[in-house]
Amino acid sequence: MTFRSMAAPGSPAFAANEAAMAASVARLRALESRAEQESEASRPRMEARGQITPRERLARLLDPGMPFLRLHSLAGYMVDTDREEKSVPGSSLIVGIGFVSGARCMIWVDDSGIKAGAMGAMSGPVALSIQRIAMRQKLPLVHLVESAGANLMRYEVQHWAEGGRIFANLARLSAAGIPTVAVLHGASTAGGAYMIGLSDYVIGVKKRGMAALAGAALVQAATGEAAEERALGGAEMHAEVSGLVEYLAEDDAHGVALARGAVARIGWNRRLERRDVKAFAPPLYNPDELSGIVPADPKEPYDAREIVVRIVDGSDFTDFKPDFGRSTLCLQAAINGIPVGILANNGPIDPAGANKAGQFIQLMDQAETPLIFLHNTTGYFVGTEYERAGMIKHGSKMIQAVANARTPKIALHVGASYGAGNYGMAGHGFDPDFLFAWPNALTGVMGGAQAAGAMEAVAREGAKRKGAPLDEAALAAQSAAIRAVFDRQTDAFYTSGRCLDHGVIDPRDTRRVLGFCLETVMEAKARRLQPNAFGVARL
Amino acid sequence: MGAAMNPGAMSFDTILVANRGEIACRVIRTARAMGLRTVAVHSEADRGAPHVLMADDAAEIGPAPVSDSYLRGDRIIAAALEAGAGAIHPGYGFLSENAAFAEAVSAAGLVFIGPPASAIRAMGDKAASKRLMRAAGVPLVPGYDGEDQSDARLLAEAEAIGFPLMAKASAGGGGRGMRLVERAEDLGDALARARDEATRAFGDGRLLLERAITGARHVEIQVFADDHGACLHLGERDCSVQRRHQKVLEEAPSPAVSPALRAAMGEAAVAAARAVDYRGAGTVEFLLDAAGGFYFLEMNTRLQVEHPVTEMVTGLDLVELQIRVARGEALPLRQEHVRLEGAAIEARLYAEDPGAGFLPSTGPIRLWRPASGPGVRIDAGIVEGGEVSPFYDPMLAKVIAYGPTREEARRRLIRALEETALAGPETNAAFLIDALSHPVFAAGAATTGFIGEAWPEGVPAEALAAETWALAAALALNAAKEATLAEAGFVAADQIGWRSDAPSEARIELECRGEARAMRAVAVPGGWRVGDGDGEIEVLIEGPGRARVRGRGRAFAARLGADGALALVSGRERGVFHPVAPGGGAAAAEGGLVRAPMPGLLIEMRAEAGREVAAGEPLAVIEAMKMQHRILAPVAGRVSAVHAEAGAQVASGAPLFEVEAGG
């Protein structure tokens, strides 16, 4: 259908929206570059050792000019410290999906420029998240290893216990027929040694690569042996004596080149059935305008179709049941020639909207059409009228459909995503294949004002019932505190820091991100694996 | 006399071309146009060469060395008989001026497309030919060409002639066995070397002496004679731009020749041809001094390399005329019909490295895209993917431009050279462009001293511009990207060069002519921003063969080899860029190891293990492409190892000997 955009690029309102979004994106980039600068400070030290920086390792690993989708760039933000200005996001990891020798791979680079690559507060969850994606999307895992391991100064027993999953996942990836490649650039001791041991292909860098269950210091403490580091676990020793290392590299760049070679030799795309790509047109509306169509004030409503026409092929979509449950949009369109079903919100979800959405999800599942969820909802409607109309029943059907649909799901927080509405739109708990947020997004059980208001109403009701006088000052303080707690956790940067999504993206990249994710899930569907029972063992 | 011959005996429908490279292709082209069948001959090294593929039939005549193949007249004649050819065209070089071969061809009942053997023989002996010319009234350079070849006699004659003078092989041509002697005290050494070269090249050590005319031009007259008594000239060619007596640029008409002078020189040339009962195409070479005096140098009894410039200004096809005359036909025009219109210039494209003393360069031809357009003619015998071997002449192609005026022809030729993409072996293309652009040449004032005067220190080695490195990096990265896209699943165009968190960055290290550069490139829409530490250069690839580098339009031709090397030509900048794989940088220092600078025959090896040597002392001599190259000790010290012995054919880069510094 033809949708005429009402947005007016160049108008004061549009410019104001753009400016607000630009500030949010600038904040995102500033946080990302904070990690980069922190890491960059180690460059002289690394170069003096003959090493190259983790970011240069990544640049050399990736195929030139091919896309790279960074994941979890804000992981650990406001987790490592409460002080916003001190928090270094990324959790000492650079992870994402990119191309290595033509193979779409999950890439994991230890940012050893930061605290020698010691695991940060959210490193474990990030590792598990990308391993889950690798398994689900059948992506070979390439890990450039250099990590001081767990931060003993911030030891927490659950990190150790949960960390075991990372090793279990490596074994399971190998068994599933998904190869794992590790380059040992520096130290990888204790648990880290098993990162190496459990990888299918290991490349060790001469002079720097080192893997041991205990480093010289711990060996000294445990057994009294005065071990020499290189003899204990140097890459050369592992290549010649222990057999842990397959290929020995002269230096970091060579190690990365050998990893590219190892992936190339796998011939990963031989088992990929090529999609027949039909010609498609770019959107008629410039995707860059996405910055200006979202009102700076999150409470100001706007038509989600304005987003859709800036991300789908030819700005062309079919509006499913447009006049039934009007505030819940169910659209069919295509992105890069891949048919998609899009759910979007023009407000709260009412019973008819939930009903329509549930049906639509089932139709898409029947047709094996990927689903895209554009979150901008304050949730399901509340109130007597809606309860009587079966809001719970209809909302439940929608949530049931979302939870059980077998077709790929890609969710994007483009505005508010509150309460059960977030669940119905394939929020974090519903394990969508991919989940990203725009920097203006707000998520939570409810807004801070609503929470404070609810608690205030309860307090006033209680006081009235008891006939007791109300301490207005205390109530105001309580409301303010509740608002603060909620609002702080509502922010997309905060939730992304806790790995409740896969990352925050620039809205102007939306079509690219969705296209990339769709291609990834389509490849996974088209790929045949050669699983085995126990994973490939280094016998 | 022509009328007395039986035309039936000379009719043929098949021509064997006893040559290779561009001239073989050139002859075949005309023969085909005349409706004749053609037979090529080739050595083992030339299987599948362009001239072989162009011909209707082909015969292999022996191994790569010319003495075993293209100089084997017996095999060539046998091949002609076998293939049913009725005539043999010898091209130039090889057997073209070999009287015995011409006779053998006739004896086998075949037509030799060239002059009578007697004319070849008469002009082949430089000293005898001069005596003949003197008798015919053709002006000669003062000199000595007597039979007494004793050093004493030559020395005495030299004093009489005066210095500077030239010592030349009596039997020679093409610059071999030729030495310029500036001072009397240098004569002894020069005679020895010239005699040695002459013996090696022609099996005849006799020399002649001539006054060196300084400030002279090399101007030659194209003559044509038939069996019906006609002998006419087709004007002159000015071949003054020479390097070590090898022609570099040739043009017609000469900027220094007036119609009156042309008539006088033409008359002298026709007299020279008539003196030897000439038939077919021939060239009478003269030195033309600043005062308009001209002196007979020699007559080349064959088609010249530079014949196309005559063809372009006369509108004639000289090969066609050769074939017609050989068939016994009368020349289709008389002297008064010969008109010279416009101007044409030819540049010889050689596989050689001007920056390294014009050393011949060999190897695969990675890129060959000849220019085209109005007034541009390219005669070539090479093909992309072919090989330039050390066995044959390093001239790969002739780039010729015609224009209504000399200036337009010159500008067209510069453009044609810039647009002629040849990469693989080093070439003299940039040098040719520079020579054509030089104000002295542009003014039409070049004499035979031009190159020496314009480049008194020799031609400097040229470093590639940073823009060219950036362009190479961008093209190599794009090629890598295309290869990835072919391998990967579908990636939409809007994702190319995109990273969700930061600019998409790549690293690339390339090596060209011994220089390696590590570059960093950031993807930008349509191209790359390439940095090598000294700032960044934006390269946008706008389409096939078009780029915008630092905001300025640039044409280029490029081809990626199966080995990953990128051959790139952009104007005068050209090179083969090899990807440098990480991890291989630990090549051991070679110290005093000396390697062969070119492929060739090691004719002398004076290095002996243990011998004390001075820095710069000649320790070996390699003969390659008509030249003897002395290989010097890199440092003073002691020879610690010898890796090759005299008589061996050595490859470029082959270890020769090692000198341990010291002493």
Side-chain angles (χ1 to χ4, degrees):
Chain A
M1 73 171 279
T2 313
F3 174 83
R4 281 181 63 100
S5 172
M6 301 305 280
S11 67
F14 191 92
N17 294 344
E18 245 180 349
M21 190 62 88
S24 296
V25 172
R27 182 181 166 211
L28 166 66
R29 296 303 178 219
L31 283 173
E32 286 171 342
S33 77
R34 187 183 289 177
E36 182 170 354
Q37 281 160 20
E38 175 103 358
S39 179
E40 204 48 27
S42 302
R43 177 188 284 275
R45 192 165 64 246
M46 297 189 81
E47 287 182 346
R49 294 195 297 239
Q51 293 184 300
I52 57 178
T53 65
R55 277 167 184 76
E56 185 176 341
R57 289 172 193 166
L58 175 63
R60 286 178 177 272
L61 177 66
L62 294 172
D63 288 327
M66 294 293 277
F68 177 71
L69 178 62
R70 177 82 184 267
L71 302 173
H72 295 299
S73 69
L74 296 178
Y77 174 63
M78 300 287 280
V79 180
D80 55 345
T81 167
D82 276 346
R83 294 171 62 194
E84 197 280 335
E85 72 284 1
K86 288 282 175 200
S87 180
V88 178
S91 223
S92 300
L93 298 172
I94 311 163
V95 298
I97 302 172
F99 288 83
V100 177
S101 299
R104 197 182 289 257
C105 293
M106 180 59 78
I107 292 157
W108 171 353
V109 180
D110 292 338
D111 194 348
S112 49
I114 299 175
K115 296 190 173 72
M119 291 180 80
M122 293 302 288
S123 300
V126 168
L128 293 175
S129 169
I130 64 170
Q131 285 182 328
R132 195 158 52 232
I133 294 172
M135 181 68 97
R136 203 159 159 187
Q137 309 303 339
K138 305 176 189 169
L139 302 172
L141 177 63
V142 182
H143 187 181
L144 306 186
V145 183
E146 181 170 38
S147 170
N151 188 338
L152 296 184
M153 303 302 287
R154 304 182 68 144
Y155 171 75
E156 288 184 43
V157 67
Q158 69 268 30
H159 287 168
W160 160 76
E162 285 292 326
R165 286 186 205 285
I166 298 172
F167 305 105
N169 282 341
L170 281 175
R172 288 172 188 142
L173 282 166
S174 181
I178 299 168
T180 56
V181 179
V183 181
L184 188 58
H185 287 282
S188 190
T189 50
Y194 280 109
M195 295 297 310
I196 301 301
L198 286 158
S199 291
D200 292 329
Y201 297 89
V202 174
I203 292 124
V205 177
K206 281 183 185 172
K207 297 193 179 78
R208 297 298 316 169
M210 193 279 180
L213 291 180
L218 186 52
V219 168
Q220 175 88 54
T223 71
E225 179 194 343
E228 194 276 314
E229 287 274 350
R230 302 309 297 168
L232 180 68
E236 296 88 338
M237 184 284 284
H238 283 307
E240 293 161 19
V241 184
S242 76
L244 177 67
V245 163
E246 272 77 49
Y247 308 111
L248 207 50
E250 296 295 326
D251 54 26
D252 280 351
H254 189 212
V256 171
L258 291 176
R260 288 179 53 78
V263 174
R265 293 278 184 221
I266 292 168
W268 186 238
N269 288 333
R270 276 182 294 131
R271 291 175 170 274
L272 175 62
E273 220 167 283
R274 301 297 167 115
R275 180 165 69 87
D276 185 15
V277 182
K278 295 193 176 61
F280 58 86
L284 300 178
Y285 296 96
N286 186 349
D288 283 353
E289 291 170 3
L290 285 169
S291 295
I293 60 155
V294 182
D297 177 0
K299 286 195 284 295
E300 194 182 318
Y302 68 99
D303 192 341
R305 293 179 186 86
E306 295 281 2
I307 298 176
V308 172
V309 294
R310 287 170 177 81
I311 59 177
V312 303
D313 295 350
S315 299
D316 180 50
F317 62 82
T318 300
D319 208 336
F320 177 75
K321 287 187 172 177
D323 302 319
F324 182 76
R326 282 170 180 278
S327 65
T328 302
L329 305 184
C330 296
L331 313 175
Q332 281 184 280
I335 293 177
N336 296 344
I338 301 171
V340 291
I342 300 172
L343 279 98
N345 316 112
N346 273 353
I349 305 167
D350 64 11
N355 182 311
K356 174 168 88 169
Q359 182 197 359
F360 185 69
I361 290 164
Q362 291 187 19
L363 284 171
M364 294 304 103
D365 183 70
Q366 182 192 48
E368 285 195 289
T369 303
L371 282 163
I372 291 173
F373 298 85
L374 303 178
H375 293 231
N376 186 19
T377 182
T378 47
Y380 291 101
F381 261 104
V382 295
T384 311
E385 181 195 341
Y386 296 102
E387 297 294 0
R388 288 174 64 89
M391 187 69 263
I392 296 171
K393 185 180 79 176
H394 291 300
S396 297
K397 280 194 305 196
M398 178 176 170
I399 290 169
Q400 207 169 40
V402 166
N404 291 317
R406 296 154 297 179
T407 194
K409 285 160 267 185
I410 301 166
L412 182 61
H413 299 156
V414 298
S417 182
Y418 284 119
N422 171 273
Y423 302 163
M425 292 292 285
H428 174 76
F430 287 72
D431 295 323
D433 292 73
F434 291 101
L435 171 59
F436 292 95
W438 283 2
N440 61 310
L442 304 168
T443 58
V445 62
M446 62 186 79
Q450 287 75 23
M455 292 311 291
E456 194 179 317
V458 169
R460 286 190 194 281
E461 185 59 33
K464 201 167 137 190
R465 203 170 50 241
K466 291 179 197 151
L470 195 64
D471 182 346
E472 287 292 342
L475 187 59
Q478 179 196 293
S479 290
I482 290 171
R483 236 189 336 262
V485 165
F486 271 72
D487 287 349
R488 181 166 169 268
Q489 299 188 45
T490 298
D491 181 35
F493 290 69
Y494 183 92
T495 45
S496 200
R498 278 166 166 71
C499 295
L500 300 179
D501 59 30
H502 294 130
V504 174
I505 63 164
D506 184 334
R508 292 170 297 185
D509 281 339
T510 302
R511 179 174 160 87
R512 284 186 275 262
V513 170
L514 293 176
F516 187 96
C517 292
L518 283 166
E519 203 60 54
T520 304
V521 299
M522 296 306 281
E523 269 189 35
K525 282 172 91 72
R527 187 180 293 286
R528 286 177 299 118
L529 295 177
Q530 169 85 341
N532 56 76
F534 285 93
V536 177
R538 204 167 264 100
L539 298 168
Chain B
M1 52 180 182
M5 293 189 169
N6 176 5
M10 291 205 255
S11 77
F12 47 82
D13 59 10
T14 301
I15 295 179
L16 179 139
V17 182
N19 216 300
R20 63 180 302 283
E22 68 89 13
I23 192 60
C25 296
R26 160 75 192 90
V27 172
I28 291 168
R29 197 171 63 234
T30 288
R32 291 176 66 91
M34 294 174 74
L36 300 168
R37 284 183 72 247
T38 54
V39 180
V41 293
H42 65 90
S43 68
E44 286 170 10
D46 274 342
R47 285 176 192 157
H51 74 281
V52 176
L53 301 182
M54 246 178 107
D56 296 301
D57 197 359
E60 187 167 309
I61 51 169
V66 293
S67 54
D68 297 328
S69 51
Y70 295 103
L71 291 177
R72 285 296 297 265
D74 53 341
R75 291 192 189 155
I76 290 168
I77 291 168
L81 295 171
E82 169 79 22
I88 292 180
H89 194 301
Y92 54 69
F94 295 144
L95 297 168
S96 62
E97 293 178 281
N98 184 318
F101 176 68
E103 280 166 352
V105 170
S106 302
L110 303 168
V111 175
F112 180 73
I113 302 179
S118 57
I120 297 174
R121 197 163 275 133
M123 286 299 185
D125 183 324
K126 298 301 159 198
S129 70
K130 292 213 165 152
R131 289 193 290 274
L132 209 56
M133 291 302 106
R134 194 175 292 132
V138 179
L140 296 175
V141 181
Y144 170 73
D145 54 2
E147 291 295 332
D148 183 353
Q149 291 281 311
S150 69
D151 273 16
R153 177 67 188 272
L154 290 173
L155 214 59
E157 292 288 346
E159 294 292 349
I161 296 164
F163 290 91
L165 59 74
M166 299 294 304
K168 296 181 175 181
S170 291
R176 280 165 291 185
M178 200 182 276
R179 279 278 182 292
L180 175 68
V181 189
E182 304 265 9
R183 299 166 306 173
E185 54 265 43
D186 295 339
L187 188 66
D189 185 50
L191 289 177
R193 284 193 157 275
R195 207 175 262 139
D196 190 40
E197 263 183 51
T199 308
R200 195 178 308 284
F202 311 110
D204 180 348
R206 284 178 305 143
L207 301 175
L208 57 83
L209 303 177
E210 265 175 9
R211 182 194 295 165
I213 312 261
T214 54
R217 288 170 182 266
H218 175 115
V219 176
E220 62 191 27
I221 303 288
Q222 176 71 53
V223 296
F224 237 105
D226 63 18
D227 282 330
H228 304 271
C231 183
L232 47 86
H233 73 87
L234 304 178
E236 78 285 2
R237 291 185 289 262
D238 190 326
C239 313
S240 298
V241 180
Q242 303 187 353
R243 195 186 63 77
R244 291 174 172 259
H245 308 291
Q246 290 271 22
K247 293 166 186 168
V248 176
L249 300 174
E250 299 115 332
E251 60 182 309
S254 165
V257 173
S258 65
L261 180 56
R262 180 172 303 122
M265 293 179 78
E267 210 171 296
V270 167
R274 286 199 185 279
V276 294
D277 286 330
Y278 204 75
R279 183 191 64 212
T283 296
V284 183
E285 297 188 338
F286 295 101
L287 272 185
L288 176 66
D289 69 21
F294 59 92
Y295 312 96
F296 174 85
L297 279 179
E298 63 179 10
M299 180 171 185
N300 294 317
T301 55
R302 53 168 159 87
L303 192 66
Q304 293 278 89
V305 174
E306 58 272 24
H307 75 274
V309 292
T310 297
E311 295 187 321
M312 292 184 97
V313 295
T314 59
L316 298 168
D317 181 331
L318 300 196
V319 173
E320 181 189 341
L321 292 181
Q322 281 188 300
I323 293 170
R324 291 196 183 286
V325 167
R327 278 203 301 225
E329 295 175 27
L331 282 169
L333 77 172
R334 291 201 296 271
Q335 188 65 56
E336 58 269 32
H337 298 140
V338 176
R339 296 173 61 89
L340 307 186
E341 271 182 58
I345 310 176
E346 172 181 286
R348 296 191 186 186
L349 197 52
Y350 280 98
E352 63 187 12
D353 187 355
F358 290 91
L359 280 187
S361 179
T362 58
I365 295 170
R366 294 174 173 271
L367 180 67
W368 170 237
R369 309 278 159 82
S372 61
V376 173
R377 166 175 167 182
I378 296 186
D379 283 12
I382 54 173
V383 67
E384 211 167 71
E387 185 91 9
V388 177
S389 84
F391 297 105
Y392 310 117
D393 190 272
M395 192 185 80
L396 303 178
K398 304 182 305 204
V399 182
I400 310 128
Y402 172 84
T405 64
R406 179 178 188 271
E407 180 60 9
E408 196 158 328
R410 188 183 70 90
R411 288 184 182 281
R412 270 187 182 162
L413 183 53
I414 291 171
R415 196 172 171 79
L417 282 165
E418 284 173 347
E419 290 177 357
T420 291
L422 174 58
E426 295 296 330
T427 76
N428 64 339
F431 171 69
L432 293 172
I433 292 167
D434 290 347
L436 286 162
S437 308
H438 195 281
V440 169
F441 182 83
T447 67
T448 53
F450 169 63
I451 288 177
E453 288 154 16
W455 287 273
E457 311 294 329
V459 178
E462 230 172 292
L464 289 165
E467 286 83 356
T468 305
W469 281 101
L471 178 59
L475 291 170
L477 286 168
N478 270 8
K481 184 183 73 191
E482 293 304 323
T484 307
L485 285 171
E487 166 69 22
F490 176 75
V491 175
D494 65 349
Q495 291 172 31
I496 298 300
W498 170 73
R499 251 182 86 154
S500 65
D501 62 334
S504 174
E505 191 186 308
R507 306 285 168 146
I508 184 164
E509 190 168 355
L510 297 173
E511 184 272 326
C512 182
R513 288 190 207 135
E515 184 189 350
R517 280 203 193 188
M519 289 169 280
R520 185 175 159 274
V522 174
V524 295
W528 297 88
R529 211 167 58 233
V530 183
D532 64 350
D534 292 336
E536 291 187 322
I537 298 173
E538 188 175 79
V539 180
L540 306 178
I541 307 300
E542 299 181 315
R546 269 301 289 192
R548 194 155 284 280
V549 183
R550 265 205 236 270
R552 302 198 52 191
R554 221 171 135 167
F556 69 86
R559 182 166 168 263
L560 193 72
D563 58 357
L566 178 86
L568 171 65
V569 174
S570 179
R572 54 176 294 127
E573 298 264 312
R574 42 200 69 202
V576 177
F577 296 82
H578 296 267
V580 179
E590 294 198 334
L593 175 63
V594 173
R595 296 171 176 278
M598 84 210 81
L601 181 68
L602 189 60
I603 58 173
E604 211 173 307
M605 173 55 88
R606 287 187 222 154
E608 285 166 34
R611 183 177 151 184
E612 299 285 337
V613 295
E617 185 178 332
L619 291 183
V621 179
I622 290 179
E623 186 182 69
M625 305 319 308
K626 310 176 185 175
M627 299 291 297
Q628 293 180 11
H629 302 273
R630 297 187 304 165
I631 312 298
L632 313 178
V635 289
R638 211 168 43 80
V639 175
S640 55
V642 178
H643 298 290
E645 53 189 45
Q649 181 77 30
V650 292
S652 179
L656 297 177
F657 54 81
E658 286 173 61
V659 179
E660 210 169 81

